[in-house]
Amino acid sequence: MDFNYSAEQEAYRAQVRMWLEANQPPPLTPAERERLNEDVLWERNKRWHKKLYAAGWVGLNWPREYGGRGATFIEQVIFQQELGRLGLPMGINVLGIIMTGPALMQWGTEAQKKRYLQPIIAADEIWCEGMSEPSAGSDLAAMQTRADLQGDYFAVNGQKVWTTHAHRSDFCQLFVRTDPDVPKHKGLSCLLVDMHSPGVTVRPLKQISGDAEFNEIFFEDVKVPKENLLGPLNAGWQVLVATLMHERFGISETIGGTEVILAQLAELAKIVPLNGAATAAEDDDIRQQIAQFAIEAAAKKYNGLRALTKRLKGQQPGAESSIGKLVSTELSQRMTKFSMRLLGAYATLEGRSLFAPEGDWMRRILSSESLTIAGGSSAVQKNMIGERILQLPKG
Ligand SMILES: Cc1cc2nc3c(=O)[nH]c(=O)nc-3n(C[C@H](O)[C@H](O)[C@H](O)COP(=O)(O)OP(=O)(O)OC[C@H]3O[C@@H](n4cnc5c(N)ncnc54)[C@H](O)[C@@H]3O)c2cc1C
Protein backbone atom coordinates (compact mmCIF):
# COMPACT_ATOMS: atom_id res chain seq x y z
CA MET A 1 0.00 0.00 0.00
CA ASP A 2 1.31 3.46 -0.90
CA PHE A 3 0.67 5.92 1.95
CA ASN A 4 1.59 8.98 -0.08
CA TYR A 5 -0.74 11.03 -2.18
CA SER A 6 0.29 12.00 -5.71
CA ALA A 7 1.28 15.59 -6.54
CA GLU A 8 -2.01 15.96 -8.39
CA GLN A 9 -3.97 14.76 -5.35
CA GLU A 10 -2.05 17.13 -3.05
CA ALA A 11 -2.86 20.02 -5.42
CA TYR A 12 -6.51 19.03 -5.24
CA ARG A 13 -6.28 18.91 -1.41
CA ALA A 14 -4.88 22.45 -1.39
CA GLN A 15 -7.78 23.60 -3.57
CA VAL A 16 -10.34 21.95 -1.24
CA ARG A 17 -8.65 23.38 1.85
CA MET A 18 -8.61 26.88 0.42
CA TRP A 19 -12.30 26.74 -0.47
CA LEU A 20 -13.36 25.30 2.90
CA GLU A 21 -11.32 27.81 4.88
CA ALA A 22 -12.76 30.71 2.88
CA ASN A 23 -16.36 29.49 2.93
CA GLN A 24 -16.80 27.65 6.24
CA PRO A 25 -19.87 28.58 8.30
CA PRO A 26 -19.40 31.53 10.66
CA PRO A 27 -19.13 30.79 14.40
CA LEU A 28 -22.44 30.44 16.27
CA THR A 29 -24.02 33.80 17.01
CA PRO A 30 -24.67 34.56 20.73
CA ALA A 31 -28.42 34.03 20.07
CA GLU A 32 -27.81 30.64 18.42
CA ARG A 33 -25.49 29.62 21.23
CA GLU A 34 -28.10 30.59 23.80
CA ARG A 35 -30.74 28.25 22.37
CA LEU A 36 -28.39 25.65 20.89
CA ASN A 37 -30.51 22.66 19.96
CA GLU A 38 -31.11 20.29 17.07
CA ASP A 39 -33.34 22.77 15.18
CA VAL A 40 -30.67 25.47 15.29
CA LEU A 41 -28.00 23.03 14.12
CA TRP A 42 -30.25 21.69 11.33
CA GLU A 43 -30.89 25.18 9.94
CA ARG A 44 -27.17 26.02 10.05
CA ASN A 45 -26.29 22.71 8.41
CA LYS A 46 -28.93 23.28 5.73
CA ARG A 47 -27.41 26.63 4.78
CA TRP A 48 -23.98 24.98 4.75
CA HIS A 49 -25.28 22.10 2.61
CA LYS A 50 -26.73 24.45 -0.01
CA LYS A 51 -23.42 26.30 -0.20
CA LEU A 52 -21.47 23.03 -0.58
CA TYR A 53 -23.92 21.78 -3.22
CA ALA A 54 -23.86 25.01 -5.23
CA ALA A 55 -20.06 24.76 -5.35
CA GLY A 56 -20.22 21.11 -6.46
CA TRP A 57 -18.80 19.55 -3.28
CA VAL A 58 -21.73 17.19 -2.53
CA GLY A 59 -21.90 13.78 -4.20
CA LEU A 60 -18.42 14.41 -5.52
CA ASN A 61 -17.84 10.89 -6.78
CA TRP A 62 -21.41 10.30 -7.93
CA PRO A 63 -21.83 10.07 -11.72
CA ARG A 64 -22.55 13.40 -13.47
CA GLU A 65 -25.80 12.08 -14.94
CA TYR A 66 -27.18 11.84 -11.39
CA GLY A 67 -26.07 15.30 -10.34
CA GLY A 68 -22.63 14.36 -9.02
CA ARG A 69 -19.25 15.67 -10.11
CA GLY A 70 -17.90 12.37 -11.40
CA ALA A 71 -14.79 12.86 -9.27
CA THR A 72 -12.63 9.93 -8.29
CA PHE A 73 -13.26 8.10 -5.04
CA ILE A 74 -9.92 9.34 -3.64
CA GLU A 75 -10.99 12.95 -4.32
CA GLN A 76 -14.15 12.29 -2.30
CA VAL A 77 -12.02 10.91 0.53
CA ILE A 78 -9.63 13.88 0.46
CA PHE A 79 -12.61 16.23 0.66
CA GLN A 80 -13.95 14.25 3.63
CA GLN A 81 -10.54 14.40 5.35
CA GLU A 82 -10.38 18.18 4.93
CA LEU A 83 -13.92 18.59 6.30
CA GLY A 84 -12.86 16.49 9.31
CA ARG A 85 -9.68 18.51 9.78
CA LEU A 86 -11.74 21.67 10.24
CA GLY A 87 -14.40 19.85 12.27
CA LEU A 88 -17.06 20.82 9.71
CA PRO A 89 -20.30 18.86 9.17
CA MET A 90 -21.18 17.19 5.84
CA GLY A 91 -24.39 19.20 5.60
CA ILE A 92 -27.82 17.59 5.84
CA ASN A 93 -29.42 14.46 4.35
CA VAL A 94 -26.39 12.46 5.44
CA LEU A 95 -28.24 9.12 5.52
CA GLY A 96 -29.57 9.73 2.02
CA ILE A 97 -26.07 10.48 0.81
CA ILE A 98 -24.08 7.75 2.56
CA MET A 99 -26.73 5.00 2.52
CA THR A 100 -29.74 5.38 0.20
CA GLY A 101 -27.76 6.92 -2.66
CA PRO A 102 -25.13 4.16 -2.86
CA ALA A 103 -27.88 1.51 -2.41
CA LEU A 104 -29.84 3.07 -5.30
CA MET A 105 -26.74 3.10 -7.48
CA GLN A 106 -26.11 -0.58 -6.67
CA TRP A 107 -29.68 -1.91 -6.82
CA GLY A 108 -31.90 0.72 -8.43
CA THR A 109 -33.54 0.63 -11.84
CA GLU A 110 -32.51 3.36 -14.26
CA ALA A 111 -35.85 5.12 -13.65
CA GLN A 112 -35.29 5.05 -9.86
CA LYS A 113 -31.76 6.44 -10.18
CA LYS A 114 -33.00 9.27 -12.44
CA ARG A 115 -35.91 10.09 -10.14
CA TYR A 116 -34.21 10.03 -6.72
CA LEU A 117 -30.44 10.55 -6.83
CA GLN A 118 -30.11 14.21 -7.76
CA PRO A 119 -32.65 15.50 -5.16
CA ILE A 120 -30.75 13.46 -2.53
CA ILE A 121 -27.46 15.30 -2.96
CA ALA A 122 -29.22 18.64 -3.44
CA ALA A 123 -31.03 17.87 -0.14
CA ASP A 124 -34.26 18.88 -1.86
CA GLU A 125 -35.67 15.57 -0.62
CA ILE A 126 -34.63 14.30 2.80
CA TRP A 127 -34.35 10.56 3.40
CA CYS A 128 -34.47 8.33 6.45
CA GLU A 129 -33.62 4.66 7.00
CA GLY A 130 -36.42 2.38 8.25
CA MET A 131 -34.70 -0.74 9.53
CA SER A 132 -34.94 -1.15 13.35
CA GLU A 133 -38.15 -2.20 15.05
CA PRO A 134 -39.04 -2.61 18.75
CA SER A 135 -38.13 -6.33 18.59
CA ALA A 136 -35.61 -6.19 15.75
CA GLY A 137 -32.50 -4.06 16.31
CA SER A 138 -29.30 -6.09 16.30
CA ASP A 139 -31.30 -8.99 14.89
CA LEU A 140 -32.76 -7.08 11.95
CA ALA A 141 -33.88 -10.21 10.15
CA ALA A 142 -36.57 -10.58 12.84
CA MET A 143 -38.42 -7.49 11.53
CA GLN A 144 -42.22 -7.77 11.43
CA THR A 145 -43.38 -4.77 9.37
CA ARG A 146 -45.41 -6.33 6.55
CA ALA A 147 -45.84 -5.33 2.93
CA ASP A 148 -48.46 -7.26 0.97
CA LEU A 149 -48.52 -6.97 -2.78
CA GLN A 150 -52.06 -6.05 -3.82
CA GLY A 151 -52.20 -5.51 -7.59
CA ASP A 152 -49.97 -2.58 -8.47
CA TYR A 153 -49.10 -1.51 -4.92
CA PHE A 154 -47.80 -2.85 -1.61
CA ALA A 155 -49.95 -2.34 1.52
CA VAL A 156 -47.56 -1.61 4.41
CA ASN A 157 -48.45 -2.18 8.07
CA GLY A 158 -46.15 -2.10 11.10
CA GLN A 159 -43.78 0.00 13.16
CA LYS A 160 -40.17 1.20 12.96
CA VAL A 161 -38.17 2.82 15.76
CA TRP A 162 -35.03 4.96 16.22
CA THR A 163 -35.55 6.37 12.72
CA THR A 164 -33.13 9.28 12.49
CA HIS A 165 -34.66 12.46 11.01
CA ALA A 166 -37.94 10.72 10.08
CA HIS A 167 -39.67 13.91 11.28
CA ARG A 168 -37.80 15.89 8.61
CA SER A 169 -37.93 13.26 5.87
CA ASP A 170 -39.72 13.15 2.55
CA PHE A 171 -38.80 9.52 1.82
CA CYS A 172 -37.82 6.39 3.72
CA GLN A 173 -35.69 3.49 2.53
CA LEU A 174 -37.93 0.98 4.25
CA PHE A 175 -37.23 -2.69 4.89
CA VAL A 176 -40.31 -4.91 5.15
CA ARG A 177 -41.37 -8.53 5.30
CA THR A 178 -42.93 -9.56 2.00
CA ASP A 179 -42.97 -13.32 2.58
CA PRO A 180 -43.65 -14.57 6.13
CA ASP A 181 -43.53 -18.26 5.13
CA VAL A 182 -39.82 -18.61 4.35
CA PRO A 183 -36.71 -18.47 6.65
CA LYS A 184 -36.53 -14.95 8.10
CA HIS A 185 -33.60 -13.66 5.98
CA LYS A 186 -35.32 -14.73 2.79
CA GLY A 187 -38.67 -12.98 3.03
CA LEU A 188 -37.56 -9.32 3.20
CA SER A 189 -37.76 -6.56 0.59
CA CYS A 190 -36.77 -2.92 0.33
CA LEU A 191 -39.26 -0.18 -0.56
CA LEU A 192 -38.85 3.51 -1.34
CA VAL A 193 -41.67 5.07 0.65
CA ASP A 194 -43.08 8.58 0.40
CA MET A 195 -43.28 9.78 4.02
CA HIS A 196 -46.17 12.09 3.13
CA SER A 197 -48.39 9.10 2.18
CA PRO A 198 -51.67 8.66 4.06
CA GLY A 199 -51.24 6.20 6.97
CA VAL A 200 -47.69 7.27 7.93
CA THR A 201 -47.40 8.66 11.49
CA VAL A 202 -44.11 9.93 12.92
CA ARG A 203 -43.59 10.36 16.68
CA PRO A 204 -40.34 11.93 17.91
CA LEU A 205 -38.34 10.29 20.74
CA LYS A 206 -36.58 12.60 23.18
CA GLN A 207 -32.93 11.81 23.94
CA ILE A 208 -30.84 12.34 27.08
CA SER A 209 -29.30 15.44 25.45
CA GLY A 210 -32.78 17.00 25.22
CA ASP A 211 -32.89 16.74 21.43
CA ALA A 212 -35.30 14.54 19.48
CA GLU A 213 -33.32 13.44 16.45
CA PHE A 214 -34.98 10.10 16.02
CA ASN A 215 -38.51 8.79 15.94
CA GLU A 216 -41.01 5.99 15.88
CA ILE A 217 -42.85 5.54 12.56
CA PHE A 218 -46.20 3.80 12.33
CA PHE A 219 -47.53 2.46 9.01
CA GLU A 220 -51.26 1.78 8.67
CA ASP A 221 -52.32 0.46 5.26
CA VAL A 222 -49.81 2.69 3.52
CA LYS A 223 -49.98 2.24 -0.26
CA VAL A 224 -46.56 2.03 -1.91
CA PRO A 225 -46.47 1.72 -5.73
CA LYS A 226 -45.01 -1.56 -6.96
CA GLU A 227 -42.33 0.29 -8.95
CA ASN A 228 -40.91 1.60 -5.64
CA LEU A 229 -39.42 -1.82 -4.87
CA LEU A 230 -35.62 -1.45 -4.63
CA GLY A 231 -33.84 -4.62 -5.75
CA PRO A 232 -35.64 -7.92 -6.41
CA LEU A 233 -38.69 -8.98 -4.38
CA ASN A 234 -37.61 -10.94 -1.27
CA ALA A 235 -33.93 -10.02 -1.81
CA GLY A 236 -34.18 -7.23 0.77
CA TRP A 237 -31.57 -8.85 3.04
CA GLN A 238 -28.84 -8.37 0.42
CA VAL A 239 -29.93 -4.74 -0.09
CA LEU A 240 -29.92 -4.24 3.68
CA VAL A 241 -26.44 -5.72 4.21
CA ALA A 242 -25.03 -3.59 1.38
CA THR A 243 -26.74 -0.46 2.77
CA LEU A 244 -25.33 -1.13 6.25
CA MET A 245 -21.80 -1.62 4.90
CA HIS A 246 -22.09 1.77 3.21
CA GLU A 247 -23.28 3.23 6.53
CA ARG A 248 -20.38 1.73 8.51
CA PHE A 249 -17.86 2.86 5.95
CA GLY A 250 -19.56 6.28 5.96
CA ILE A 251 -19.55 6.53 9.77
CA SER A 252 -15.86 5.70 10.06
CA GLU A 253 -15.09 8.12 7.19
CA THR A 254 -17.19 10.96 8.60
CA ILE A 255 -15.67 10.59 12.06
CA GLY A 256 -12.54 12.32 10.80
CA GLY A 257 -13.47 14.24 13.96
CA THR A 258 -11.23 12.04 16.16
CA GLU A 259 -8.22 14.20 15.17
CA VAL A 260 -10.23 17.32 15.98
CA ILE A 261 -11.20 16.05 19.46
CA LEU A 262 -7.59 14.99 20.06
CA ALA A 263 -6.32 18.50 19.24
CA GLN A 264 -9.00 20.06 21.45
CA LEU A 265 -8.03 17.84 24.41
CA ALA A 266 -4.35 18.70 23.96
CA GLU A 267 -5.22 22.43 23.90
CA LEU A 268 -7.49 22.07 26.92
CA ALA A 269 -4.73 20.31 28.90
CA LYS A 270 -2.52 23.33 28.34
CA ILE A 271 -4.97 25.78 29.90
CA VAL A 272 -6.82 24.01 32.72
CA PRO A 273 -5.28 23.70 36.20
CA LEU A 274 -5.27 20.21 37.75
CA ASN A 275 -4.36 18.77 41.16
CA GLY A 276 -2.56 21.92 42.27
CA ALA A 277 -0.48 22.19 39.07
CA ALA A 278 -0.86 25.27 36.86
CA THR A 279 -1.93 23.13 33.88
CA ALA A 280 -3.16 19.56 33.41
CA ALA A 281 -0.44 19.09 30.80
CA GLU A 282 2.14 19.00 33.62
CA ASP A 283 0.56 15.80 34.91
CA ASP A 284 2.38 12.66 33.62
CA ASP A 285 -0.75 10.56 33.57
CA ILE A 286 -2.70 13.16 31.56
CA ARG A 287 0.11 13.47 29.02
CA GLN A 288 0.37 9.71 28.65
CA GLN A 289 -3.37 9.32 28.24
CA ILE A 290 -3.49 11.94 25.48
CA ALA A 291 -0.48 10.30 23.81
CA GLN A 292 -2.32 6.97 23.99
CA PHE A 293 -5.32 8.56 22.22
CA ALA A 294 -2.96 9.89 19.54
CA ILE A 295 -1.54 6.38 18.99
CA GLU A 296 -5.01 4.87 18.66
CA ALA A 297 -6.12 7.66 16.30
CA ALA A 298 -3.09 6.93 14.10
CA ALA A 299 -3.86 3.18 14.12
CA LYS A 300 -7.45 4.00 13.17
CA LYS A 301 -6.24 6.16 10.31
CA TYR A 302 -3.99 3.44 8.85
CA ASN A 303 -6.67 0.80 9.19
CA GLY A 304 -8.99 3.21 7.35
CA LEU A 305 -6.45 3.31 4.52
CA ARG A 306 -6.78 -0.47 4.21
CA ALA A 307 -10.55 -0.13 3.67
CA LEU A 308 -9.85 2.75 1.31
CA THR A 309 -7.45 0.65 -0.78
CA LYS A 310 -10.21 -1.92 -1.24
CA ARG A 311 -12.62 0.79 -2.41
CA LEU A 312 -9.99 2.17 -4.79
CA LYS A 313 -9.76 -1.27 -6.37
CA GLY A 314 -13.47 -0.93 -7.17
CA GLN A 315 -14.68 -3.32 -4.48
CA GLN A 316 -17.72 -2.65 -2.26
CA PRO A 317 -17.08 -2.05 1.47
CA GLY A 318 -16.92 -5.32 3.42
CA ALA A 319 -16.50 -6.56 6.98
CA GLU A 320 -13.37 -4.38 7.43
CA SER A 321 -15.80 -1.43 7.66
CA SER A 322 -16.78 -2.93 11.03
CA ILE A 323 -13.24 -2.33 12.35
CA GLY A 324 -13.38 1.32 11.29
CA LYS A 325 -16.84 1.80 12.75
CA LEU A 326 -15.97 0.09 16.06
CA VAL A 327 -12.67 1.89 16.59
CA SER A 328 -13.80 5.36 15.46
CA THR A 329 -16.91 5.45 17.62
CA GLU A 330 -15.40 3.87 20.76
CA LEU A 331 -12.30 6.09 20.58
CA SER A 332 -14.37 9.24 20.04
CA GLN A 333 -16.49 8.33 23.03
CA ARG A 334 -13.50 7.71 25.34
CA MET A 335 -11.82 10.93 24.22
CA THR A 336 -14.97 12.99 24.68
CA LYS A 337 -15.47 11.59 28.19
CA PHE A 338 -11.82 12.32 29.02
CA SER A 339 -12.71 16.04 28.89
CA MET A 340 -14.39 15.42 32.28
CA ARG A 341 -11.01 14.60 33.83
CA LEU A 342 -9.62 17.88 32.52
CA LEU A 343 -12.60 20.11 33.21
CA GLY A 344 -13.94 18.54 36.39
CA ALA A 345 -17.26 20.13 37.36
CA TYR A 346 -17.04 22.63 34.46
CA ALA A 347 -17.68 19.72 32.07
CA THR A 348 -21.24 19.50 33.37
CA LEU A 349 -22.08 23.01 32.21
CA GLU A 350 -24.14 23.15 29.06
CA GLY A 351 -23.08 25.36 26.20
CA ARG A 352 -20.14 27.66 26.80
CA SER A 353 -17.96 27.01 29.82
CA LEU A 354 -15.05 28.90 31.31
CA PHE A 355 -12.38 26.69 29.76
CA ALA A 356 -14.20 25.69 26.64
CA PRO A 357 -15.68 28.80 25.08
CA GLU A 358 -16.21 26.96 21.81
CA GLY A 359 -16.80 23.67 23.57
CA ASP A 360 -20.19 22.33 24.62
CA TRP A 361 -18.60 19.27 26.17
CA MET A 362 -21.65 18.11 28.13
CA ARG A 363 -23.77 17.81 25.02
CA ARG A 364 -20.98 15.92 23.27
CA ILE A 365 -20.43 13.59 26.23
CA LEU A 366 -24.14 12.75 26.36
CA SER A 367 -24.39 12.05 22.65
CA SER A 368 -21.04 10.24 22.30
CA GLU A 369 -22.68 6.92 23.20
CA SER A 370 -25.09 7.12 20.29
CA LEU A 371 -22.75 6.27 17.41
CA THR A 372 -21.46 3.21 19.32
CA ILE A 373 -25.04 1.85 18.97
CA ALA A 374 -26.28 3.31 15.67
CA GLY A 375 -25.49 1.29 12.56
CA GLY A 376 -24.97 -1.87 14.66
CA SER A 377 -23.74 -1.83 18.27
CA SER A 378 -20.08 -2.35 19.18
CA ALA A 379 -20.86 -5.89 20.42
CA VAL A 380 -22.37 -6.70 17.01
CA GLN A 381 -19.35 -5.24 15.18
CA LYS A 382 -17.07 -7.44 17.32
CA ASN A 383 -19.12 -10.49 16.34
CA MET A 384 -18.69 -9.58 12.66
CA ILE A 385 -14.94 -9.04 13.04
CA GLY A 386 -14.63 -12.36 14.91
CA GLU A 387 -16.63 -14.34 12.40
CA ARG A 388 -15.89 -12.72 9.04
CA ILE A 389 -12.34 -11.42 9.46
CA LEU A 390 -10.79 -13.69 12.11
CA GLN A 391 -12.85 -16.71 10.93
CA LEU A 392 -13.66 -17.61 14.55
CA PRO A 393 -16.55 -20.02 15.13
CA LYS A 394 -19.97 -18.45 15.82
CA GLY A 395 -20.60 -17.79 19.54
C1 LIG B 1 -28.23 7.64 17.29
C2 LIG B 1 -28.95 6.46 16.70
C3 LIG B 1 -29.51 6.58 15.46
C4 LIG B 1 -30.18 5.49 14.90
N1 LIG B 1 -30.75 5.67 13.68
C5 LIG B 1 -31.44 4.64 13.13
C6 LIG B 1 -32.08 4.81 11.88
O1 LIG B 1 -32.03 5.89 11.28
N2 LIG B 1 -32.77 3.76 11.38
C7 LIG B 1 -32.86 2.57 12.01
O2 LIG B 1 -33.49 1.66 11.48
N3 LIG B 1 -32.28 2.37 13.22
C8 LIG B 1 -31.57 3.39 13.79
N4 LIG B 1 -30.97 3.21 15.01
C9 LIG B 1 -31.16 1.95 15.72
C10 LIG B 1 -29.91 1.11 15.81
O3 LIG B 1 -29.58 0.55 14.57
C11 LIG B 1 -30.18 0.06 16.90
O4 LIG B 1 -30.34 0.75 18.12
C12 LIG B 1 -29.06 -0.93 17.01
O5 LIG B 1 -28.97 -1.74 15.87
C13 LIG B 1 -29.24 -1.82 18.27
O6 LIG B 1 -30.51 -2.38 18.29
P1 LIG B 1 -31.44 -2.26 19.59
O7 LIG B 1 -31.47 -0.82 20.02
O8 LIG B 1 -32.74 -2.90 19.28
O9 LIG B 1 -30.69 -3.05 20.72
P2 LIG B 1 -30.68 -4.65 20.92
O10 LIG B 1 -30.47 -5.31 19.60
O11 LIG B 1 -31.89 -5.03 21.69
O12 LIG B 1 -29.36 -4.84 21.77
C14 LIG B 1 -29.35 -4.60 23.20
C15 LIG B 1 -27.95 -4.93 23.72
O13 LIG B 1 -27.63 -6.30 23.44
C16 LIG B 1 -26.41 -6.39 22.69
N5 LIG B 1 -26.53 -7.46 21.70
C17 LIG B 1 -27.59 -7.68 20.89
N6 LIG B 1 -27.33 -8.75 20.09
C18 LIG B 1 -26.11 -9.21 20.41
C19 LIG B 1 -25.28 -10.29 19.93
N7 LIG B 1 -25.69 -11.10 18.96
N8 LIG B 1 -24.07 -10.46 20.52
C20 LIG B 1 -23.64 -9.64 21.51
N9 LIG B 1 -24.37 -8.60 22.00
C21 LIG B 1 -25.58 -8.39 21.46
C22 LIG B 1 -26.25 -5.05 22.02
O14 LIG B 1 -24.88 -4.74 21.79
C23 LIG B 1 -26.85 -4.10 23.05
O15 LIG B 1 -25.88 -3.78 24.02
C24 LIG B 1 -30.29 4.27 15.60
C25 LIG B 1 -29.71 4.15 16.87
C26 LIG B 1 -29.06 5.23 17.43
C27 LIG B 1 -28.45 5.08 18.77
Side-chain angles (χ1 to χ4, degrees):
M1 190 192 296
D2 184 0
F3 293 118
N4 298 314
Y5 294 90
S6 68
E8 199 186 329
Q9 286 162 352
E10 289 299 355
Y12 170 78
R13 183 187 298 282
Q15 184 200 345
V16 170
R17 189 171 291 187
M18 202 160 60
W19 190 90
L20 287 176
E21 284 174 352
N23 291 281
Q24 61 184 308
L28 290 167
T29 63
E32 283 174 326
R33 204 188 289 284
E34 198 58 40
R35 54 182 190 93
L36 191 62
N37 60 25
E38 200 232 337
D39 288 334
V40 172
L41 292 175
W42 179 268
E43 284 311 315
R44 275 177 67 85
N45 279 346
K46 192 171 170 181
R47 288 196 292 276
W48 175 229
H49 190 110
K50 294 288 174 192
K51 202 168 181 180
L52 285 171
Y53 179 70
W57 296 118
V58 188
L60 267 176
N61 65 325
W62 287 25
R64 282 179 190 278
E65 57 190 307
Y66 306 128
R69 199 191 251 200
T72 60
F73 184 70
I74 193 76
E75 286 173 333
Q76 166 71 38
V77 170
I78 290 172
F79 181 77
Q80 211 64 52
Q81 289 170 344
E82 291 302 309
L83 267 185
R85 195 182 68 84
L86 290 171
L88 294 172
M90 266 179 75
I92 55 172
N93 213 15
V94 173
L95 297 182
I97 292 167
I98 69 173
M99 297 173 77
T100 315
L104 272 162
M105 284 189 250
Q106 194 176 346
W107 295 93
T109 61
E110 215 33 59
Q112 288 171 337
K113 292 181 201 175
K114 284 211 168 76
R115 162 64 187 83
Y116 296 112
L117 285 172
Q118 195 272 336
I120 287 180
I121 49 174
D124 287 338
E125 289 173 345
I126 307 298
W127 282 73
C128 60
E129 286 291 328
M131 297 178 175
S132 308
E133 295 183 6
S135 299
S138 301
D139 182 14
L140 277 173
M143 65 176 67
Q144 304 280 327
T145 297
R146 283 284 300 269
D148 297 305
L149 191 53
Q150 298 178 353
D152 55 359
Y153 68 86
F154 290 93
V156 179
N157 284 283
Q159 184 198 343
K160 295 287 169 181
V161 72
W162 315 127
T163 324
T164 302
H165 293 150
H167 59 306
R168 303 190 188 277
S169 292
D170 302 296
F171 286 93
C172 179
Q173 184 184 357
L174 183 71
F175 291 88
V176 288
R177 185 160 300 286
T178 34
D179 186 347
D181 300 322
V182 292
K184 59 183 185 178
H185 291 81
K186 295 191 173 161
L188 302 176
S189 298
C190 179
L191 299 178
L192 308 171
V193 178
D194 184 339
M195 290 291 283
H196 308 294
S197 309
V200 176
T201 308
V202 175
R203 289 199 202 140
L205 293 165
K206 198 154 183 173
Q207 297 149 230
I208 192 172
S209 62
D211 291 332
E213 274 175 305
F214 44 41
N215 308 265
E216 296 175 293
I217 317 179
F218 297 88
F219 299 89
E220 283 174 84
D221 284 327
V222 177
K223 288 184 178 173
V224 180
K226 199 171 150 189
E227 62 267 22
N228 286 21
L229 177 71
L230 179 64
L233 187 69
N234 295 325
W237 185 250
Q238 286 92 300
V239 181
L240 188 142
V241 169
T243 307
L244 283 175
M245 290 304 174
H246 287 297
E247 178 183 36
R248 282 163 201 165
F249 185 79
I251 288 180
S252 52
E253 276 306 300
T254 49
I255 302 204
T258 36
E259 281 77 16
V260 175
I261 307 174
L262 185 63
Q264 287 173 336
L265 288 180
E267 281 310 305
L268 207 53
K270 289 184 215 159
I271 56 170
V272 291
L274 192 79
N275 298 337
T279 69
E282 291 169 37
D283 185 299
D284 284 349
D285 187 47
I286 295 285
R287 281 205 308 274
Q288 287 186 11
Q289 186 59 63
I290 294 177
Q292 179 63 33
F293 288 145
I295 292 165
E296 291 179 48
K300 184 213 99 170
K301 177 176 155 190
Y302 289 113
N303 182 65
L305 291 177
R306 200 186 319 188
L308 179 58
T309 305
K310 194 170 168 190
R311 292 297 303 266
L312 289 175
K313 288 182 182 159
Q315 297 166 27
Q316 292 294 327
E320 73 289 337
S321 300
S322 290
I323 302 180
K325 200 267 172 185
L326 175 72
V327 175
S328 309
T329 56
E330 292 282 334
L331 179 59
S332 292
Q333 184 182 22
R334 278 190 290 122
M335 290 203 299
T336 309
K337 285 187 173 169
F338 186 73
S339 67
M340 280 194 278
R341 263 196 79 190
L342 299 175
L343 287 166
Y346 286 110
T348 61
L349 296 178
E350 278 195 27
R352 228 170 352 163
S353 79
L354 184 58
F355 297 116
E358 296 300 329
D360 196 20
W361 288 102
M362 196 61 225
R363 182 190 177 84
R364 289 158 65 184
I365 290 165
L366 290 176
S367 55
S368 66
E369 180 92 21
S370 63
L371 283 179
T372 67
I373 303 170
S377 69
S378 291
V380 167
Q381 304 305 326
K382 285 179 188 164
N383 284 346
M384 297 204 24
I385 294 164
E387 287 165 24
R388 299 205 198 159
I389 298 178
L390 300 175
Q391 307 288 312
L392 296 172
K394 271 185 183 256

